[in-house]
Amino acid sequence: MKPQIAGLILIAALISGCGNKPGNTTVNEHSDTQQSDRLKLNNGEKWKVNEEMTPFIRNSEELLADFRNNNESDYKELAGKLKENNNKLISSCTMKGEAHDELHKWLYPHLELVKKLSKAKSTEEVRVIIDQLQFSFDTFNSFFQ
């Protein structure tokens, strides 16, 4: 298969595969058919994330915002920094119960996006994944505090 065709197929899969684009009301990239996998609020309120974890999420948001606002191009460096924050986030987790379960519904797809970013092969693919990461953080902020 020619590289251009393979790239177009990959981009199309990224765009349509999860069914989520910024502005879409579906909140979990992998759960369109399974209600139990969709994020939900805590009786109409946002879930509380423990204080030890929050700095790693906020730092990752800032890294992404800086990357976007400064038109940076070293997406591999960004992916590495995001992965490092994710590892620290996971190791600092002391959450339990339903809040913990809901956080994982957000976290697993988010981790996959960071992994995809580290393996991206084109500028267009990077742009799509960056948009998806922004949507992931927007989703986090809609369901967690």
Side-chain angles (χ1 to χ4, degrees):
M1 182 179 299
K2 292 184 177 182
Q4 296 88 358
I5 295 172
L8 289 173
I9 291 170
L10 181 59
I11 291 168
L14 286 170
I15 292 171
S16 65
C18 295
N20 281 329
K21 296 170 188 74
N24 191 338
T25 57
T26 304
V27 296
N28 187 298
E29 283 96 346
H30 302 287
S31 67
D32 286 51
T33 59
Q34 295 182 352
Q35 183 69 25
S36 64
D37 286 344
R38 288 191 180 148
L39 279 166
K40 62 184 177 186
L41 290 170
N42 182 12
N43 296 315
E45 300 293 324
K46 293 180 182 182
W47 298 98
K48 293 188 190 303
V49 175
N50 71 15
E51 291 179 26
E52 297 82 12
M53 296 171 67
T54 305
F56 304 115
I57 295 168
R58 298 301 173 221
N59 184 265
S60 290
E61 281 183 299
E62 288 175 20
L63 288 168
L64 183 66
D66 288 347
F67 184 89
R68 294 180 83 169
N69 294 336
N70 297 326
N71 294 316
E72 293 183 27
S73 60
D74 192 348
Y75 65 91
K76 296 228 182 232
E77 179 182 359
L78 173 64
K81 289 178 179 179
L82 292 174
K83 182 178 178 184
E84 182 179 325
N85 273 322
N86 288 338
N87 290 339
K88 291 176 182 177
L89 170 74
I90 292 165
S91 67
S92 68
C93 183
T94 58
M95 293 176 65
K96 304 264 188 251
E98 197 170 2
H100 180 261
D101 297 342
E102 290 301 310
L103 182 65
H104 277 252
K105 290 178 186 179
W106 169 79
L107 183 59
Y108 289 138
H110 184 80
L111 295 173
E112 286 300 312
L113 288 173
V114 173
K115 183 191 277 185
K116 285 180 184 179
L117 181 62
S118 70
K119 296 178 179 182
K121 302 287 186 210
S122 70
T123 304
E124 179 61 22
E125 184 181 357
V126 169
R127 188 194 62 74
V128 168
I129 296 168
I130 293 295
D131 287 347
Q132 290 173 335
L133 281 166
Q134 182 60 58
F135 183 70
S136 177
F137 284 120
D138 292 345
T139 300
F140 174 86
N141 288 315
S142 295
F143 287 87
F144 300 95
Q145 58 182 359

